[in-house]
Amino acid sequence: GSSVTVTFASGCVLRTGLTASGSVTVELARAASALDVMVSFDALAVGSRTLEGTAAFHTENGSVLGIELALTGATGSVSTDLTVTGTSGAMEIDGAATVTREGTTTMLSFTDVVWRLTECYPSAGSVTVTTGRVSQTVSFTSATPSTGTVTITQGRTSRDATLPAYGSCPMGV
């Protein structure tokens, strides 16, 4: 394996004019077709933003990527245990993420979310979003990329909703 560490001396001024301190270490390990990348942030501060923790990426074959984040900043944190599987022209996302910001924790659970590279929105699967005691599941269908329509389920109640437009998305509108 190989590693490199960049340490910003206290008061280091970047080209952007922002002051940086702390360090970032990137470690690479390869065995046969497996590759592991670990990025560690140690008391990293750029301007008024801070970052501490790790971002780990793992693949056995180049088609399946594991993503594990454990990052903390001044106003919150994020942790993930995600698997992204690449197929011809698409990716499938499974796993969980937890985001805490200013004392509020939101958990996301991705189940068989299929996102084609040429489409604006996923075309299959679901994401369950839980904040406090409230849990909602957003389900995607093959019509979602062209219409922006999803089904939101909370408890025993389901309703259709339209995702916000951006750029030329949804594609069929």
Side-chain angles (χ1 to χ4, degrees):
S2 302
S3 69
V4 63
T5 299
V6 176
T7 301
F8 298 97
S10 181
C12 176
V13 178
L14 303 175
R15 286 186 214 173
T16 61
L18 295 173
T19 302
S21 62
S23 65
V24 179
T25 301
V26 179
E27 299 174 64
L28 301 172
R30 185 173 181 107
S33 62
L35 176 65
D36 290 286
V37 178
M38 171 74 79
V39 183
S40 301
F41 303 92
D42 185 17
L44 181 65
V46 177
S48 62
R49 302 201 182 255
T50 61
L51 187 61
E52 183 85 35
T54 58
F57 308 92
H58 172 79
T59 185
E60 289 287 331
N61 58 15
S63 294
V64 179
L65 178 65
I67 303 170
E68 294 181 20
L69 303 177
L71 300 169
T72 302
T75 60
S77 63
V78 62
S79 62
T80 68
D81 186 5
L82 296 171
T83 300
V84 178
T85 304
T87 60
S88 181
M91 63 181 159
E92 182 175 318
I93 306 167
D94 290 285
T98 302
V99 178
T100 302
R101 183 167 174 90
E102 297 176 352
T104 300
T105 298
T106 301
M107 295 177 289
L108 300 105
S109 177
F110 298 82
T111 305
D112 302 326
V113 175
V114 176
W115 202 324
R116 299 196 192 301
L117 300 178
T118 58
E119 296 179 338
C120 300
Y121 300 113
S123 58
S126 63
V127 178
T128 299
V129 181
T130 304
T131 302
R133 297 177 139 186
V134 178
S135 184
Q136 296 182 337
T137 299
V138 179
S139 298
F140 305 96
T141 68
S142 59
T144 301
S146 61
T147 65
T149 302
V150 296
T151 300
I152 299 176
T153 304
Q154 184 174 346
R156 294 184 210 164
T157 304
S158 294
R159 65 180 174 83
D160 286 342
T162 302
L163 296 172
Y166 68 95
S168 61
C169 297
M171 296 167 64
V173 177

